[in-house]
Amino acid sequence: MIKVTVDDIEVEVEPGSTVLQACETAGKEIPRFCYHERLSIAGNCRMCLVEVGKSPKPVASCAMPVSNGQVIKTNTDMVKKAREGVMEFLLINHPLDCPICDQGGECDLQDQAFNYGGGRSRFELNKRSVNQKYMGPLIKTHMNRCIHCTRCVRFSEEVAGIAEIGAINRGENMEISTFLEKTVESELSGNVIDLCPVGALTSKPYSYEARPWELNKVETIDVMDAVGSNIRVDSKGWEVKRVLPRINEEINEEWISDKTRYACDGLLNNRIDTPYIKNKGKYQAVSWNEAIKFINQNSKNKKNFGGLIGQLVDLETSYAFKELFKKLYNSELVDFRQKDILFDTSDEYNFIFNTSINKIDQCDFILLIGCNPRLEATIVNYRIRKAVNNGCNVYSIGDPGEQNYNYKIIGNNISVLDDLIHEKISESIVLKEAINPAIIIGESALQSNISNYVISSVKYLLKKINKLNGFNILHQSASNVGSLKLGLQTKNLNNIYDAELLYLCNSDEISINKKENQFIIYQGSHGGENSKIADVILPSSSYVEKNGSFINLEGRVQKSYKASYPPGSAKDDWEIFLSIAESNNIDLGFKDFDELRNKMVSEFPSLGKYDKVPDINFNNLIVGDHKKKDFQLIVNPVDYYQTNIIARSSKTMNDCKNIKIRNKKIEA
């Protein structure tokens, strides 16, 4: 450890630390624009000037390494005067348009100008003018405000892994731009808006919607994928205006995907706000009592009952749905799968991401099997890229498509696993020598006819080298792990599709072919394709309009919180189940949300352990049969911007999709 003195306070810091980090350790706030702890050091804004030792002039604390015995001053007259001079230079070409800037109230430049800005500028020449740059439907540019901090450039290269944003020209004439001014296509592009310390890059969909002090802010979690990114939902009245990331070092650090950030406008579109029943081929709006009466009348003579859970369903809803089917319909035909895949539920280990998200970047060997992490779990893919930057080699069985790091396809047939087991290929030696290997299995490799073979083979491979914690399932949907924990996987999905009464709870990802005399109940927040074939439609709350809990892909239980209100007469899903049960004099064992959660936790105690990765006993795992199979593995395509009903209802996501299609046509 290195000892330094900051404003007469002695502190110890790690070797290689910067003066700025030493100052922060001592509790001193240092202004900065270009410096960011997750990006490389640029040292070009000079706002972080401090006085160091016997140096005749102030030094940039972000770029200066500490040395033993160093004496640092952060509040001298020289430091204050130097920072005021830097601020005056930064404001020379700034338009000073705070009243109309979307960054107002959240602007680093605004805050620092309050502390170090002068009353007037001594610069009398005309301000420079920079043309706005086109960066697609997500990022709005006001390049006259740019102070050349280059955070966006460094993020694009170092974190997003796609060098889409760069600088042209030099000095005062320097401009930040995309190459050939094309659309930014990284799935993490929206994070440059948070990084921008001024209003040069702002959110295009959020433009002029609200001021930050007008918004109600609720900390919750994301459900656009299975990662469980920590987010903050900002709403005005009942309308969600924007979604921002929250720092969680174990999951998403401080980044979120574009779909997480921008799909929120889909919450307003295509909503179901009142119950409907089909009468003579046409839907008519009815009261809740009429809708429930209609359901009871049409379910009396039905002999078998099936239910499907959708992608965005919380634990409490899934549990209540299961209880409804068990007690009212005397049926266990409830499933969450939207396609023909099969999970091994004999042990929790078999269906979670055991390496854990925050340890992926420490891996030295990664094997992808039937997955496209860039589109299926963007934050996990970011972690993989970090591992690659640290020297990790990435291999794949099946073509994962375009990634933002180098990888090697070792085969497209699932039989390659047998070659790895018997050390017939060179990659088996690399795996054997790996200290922290991770094998990531996607849903494309979990088709029912090969699922058991893939899972058993991977477990056998990892057991040989005593690295069973490297077994990972990459789920695509937020509700998957929770549904598996609740036991919502049936032996045969066809039994559900053929049920005389089919209850679709937020299930929009699979096309249902309605059978003759089949009665279909559709319950959901948005009108999807399946709502068009339903006999009765029940409006429910979306994930931001109710309290609940989800389990992310690594088995971590997280709470989600109500940030808005459902439209019209829509209700929480569990309330609907309760009303149906009570109309049939059936007691589900709960009367409110707290009772529901307590009942669920009493039956499944692990669901009450929040924000913890489950402890797995690797010694008791059964490998299973791994007899060689031949199967050509094709990674199922993922339409990133259309993965769920909210994203499909989002104008922003549809714009992104259309622009991507257009760009591909131009490139072709």
Side-chain angles (χ1 to χ4, degrees), residues 373-445:
R374 179 176 172 181
L375 302 183
E376 294 174 16
T378 304
I379 296 299
V380 172
N381 192 66
Y382 155 67
R383 298 276 191 174
I384 295 174
R385 174 172 161 77
K386 284 181 71 177
V388 172
N389 291 339
N390 293 331
C392 176
N393 293 314
V394 179
Y395 305 91
S396 179
I397 300 177
D399 187 357
E402 185 180 356
Q403 305 296 316
N404 50 7
Y405 46 79
N406 294 324
Y407 63 89
K408 179 184 178 183
I409 299 176
I410 60 175
N412 290 313
N413 196 300
I414 209 68
S415 61
V416 174
L417 286 171
D418 193 74
D419 296 335
L420 284 169
I421 290 172
H422 296 97
E423 300 183 10
K424 294 179 180 179
I425 54 178
S426 59
E427 287 75 19
S428 56
I429 306 300
V430 183
L431 172 60
K432 196 174 182 179
E433 295 174 350
I435 299 172
N436 295 309
I439 300 179
I440 303 174
I441 306 170
E443 293 184 3
S444 298

Side-chain angles (χ1 to χ4, degrees), residues 31 44 73 92 113 118 193 234 258 289 311 314 339 354 377 422 456 472 480 514 522 624 664:
N44 51 7
K73 301 290 184 181
I92 278 176
I193 296 167
D234 292 356
D258 287 348
N289 288 335
Q311 291 188 343
D314 54 280
K339 46 193 165 187
N354 292 279
H422 296 97
S456 299
N472 304 287
N480 278 17
K514 189 176 182 181
Y522 177 86
K664 284 184 177 180

Side-chain angles (χ1 to χ4, degrees), residues 83-343:
R83 291 175 181 173
E84 288 173 350
V86 170
M87 179 57 66
E88 185 174 359
F89 274 114
L90 289 175
L91 295 179
I92 278 176
N93 285 310
H94 196 279
L96 304 177
D97 56 348
C98 298
I100 62 165
C101 178
D102 266 334
Q103 197 88 341
E106 300 173 317
C107 178
D108 292 346
L109 184 65
Q110 199 176 52
D111 294 341
Q112 298 305 330
F114 179 81
N115 293 321
Y116 300 103
R120 61 184 296 274
S121 175
R122 291 170 288 180
F123 190 78
E124 295 181 353
L125 298 178
N126 293 329
K127 293 178 181 283
R128 72 168 183 175
S129 179
V130 183
N131 292 330
Q132 310 307 354
K133 310 299 181 183
Y134 175 74
M135 292 191 181
L138 305 180
I139 303 170
K140 187 175 183 178
T141 63
H142 301 270
M143 303 316 294
N144 286 331
R145 302 170 186 162
C146 181
I147 61 170
H148 303 161
C149 72
T150 68
R151 281 186 178 183
C152 54
V153 178
R154 286 173 284 148
F155 174 86
S156 175
E157 294 177 353
E158 299 165 12
V159 178
I162 307 174
E164 296 179 296
I165 303 175
I168 56 176
N169 304 324
R170 298 185 67 184
E172 186 187 40
N173 297 319
M174 178 177 164
E175 296 180 20
I176 302 297
S177 175
T178 58
F179 299 108
L180 304 176
E181 295 196 21
K182 62 176 289 189
T183 304
V184 178
E185 294 186 350
S186 166
E187 292 77 25
L188 292 168
S189 66
N191 291 287
V192 299
I193 296 167
D194 301 331
L195 286 172
C196 184
V198 298
L201 304 177
T202 58
S203 174
K204 191 174 283 186
Y206 176 68
S207 180
Y208 304 124
E209 286 289 324
R211 288 298 193 182
W213 53 84
E214 299 175 316
L215 301 173
N216 180 49
K217 304 171 178 64
V218 176
E219 294 184 346
T220 182
I221 59 169
D222 170 53
V223 299
M224 292 294 112
D225 54 29
V227 174
S229 298
N230 284 219
I231 59 173
R232 193 188 83 196
V233 176
D234 292 356
S235 57
K236 187 177 181 181
W238 65 274
E239 184 178 342
V240 174
K241 291 296 185 179
R242 64 178 182 178
V243 173
L244 298 176
R246 287 191 294 127
I247 295 177
N248 188 313
E249 297 294 344
E250 295 186 345
I251 303 176
N252 58 301
E253 294 184 347
E254 61 182 271
W255 320 121
I256 54 174
S257 70
D258 287 348
K259 185 165 53 178
T260 299
R261 185 184 297 271
Y262 291 111
C264 59
D265 66 329
L267 293 165
L268 298 174
N269 302 327
N270 200 28
R271 291 300 301 265
I272 307 171
D273 59 0
T274 192
Y276 291 89
I277 63 173
K278 187 175 283 187
N279 185 15
K280 297 179 180 178
K282 294 184 178 181
Y283 287 109
Q284 65 179 60
V286 296
S287 67
W288 274 104
N289 288 335
E290 289 174 304
I292 292 172
K293 185 179 178 182
F294 184 74
I295 292 171
N296 292 336
Q297 288 174 344
N298 285 274
S299 59
K300 283 182 180 179
N301 300 320
K302 305 299 182 186
K303 296 179 181 178
N304 48 65
F305 305 84
L308 279 176
I309 291 282
Q311 291 188 343
L312 311 178
V313 178
D314 54 280
L315 283 168
E316 289 79 5
T317 294
S318 298
Y319 178 78
F321 193 56
K322 180 184 177 184
E323 288 294 290
L324 177 73
F325 263 71
K326 184 168 64 177
K327 294 183 176 180
L328 177 60
Y329 300 132
N330 194 27
S331 172
E332 294 185 356
L333 289 179
V334 179
D335 210 312
F336 71 97
R337 293 171 293 166
Q338 307 294 302
K339 46 193 165 187
D340 185 25
I341 55 177
L342 182 67
F343 297 93

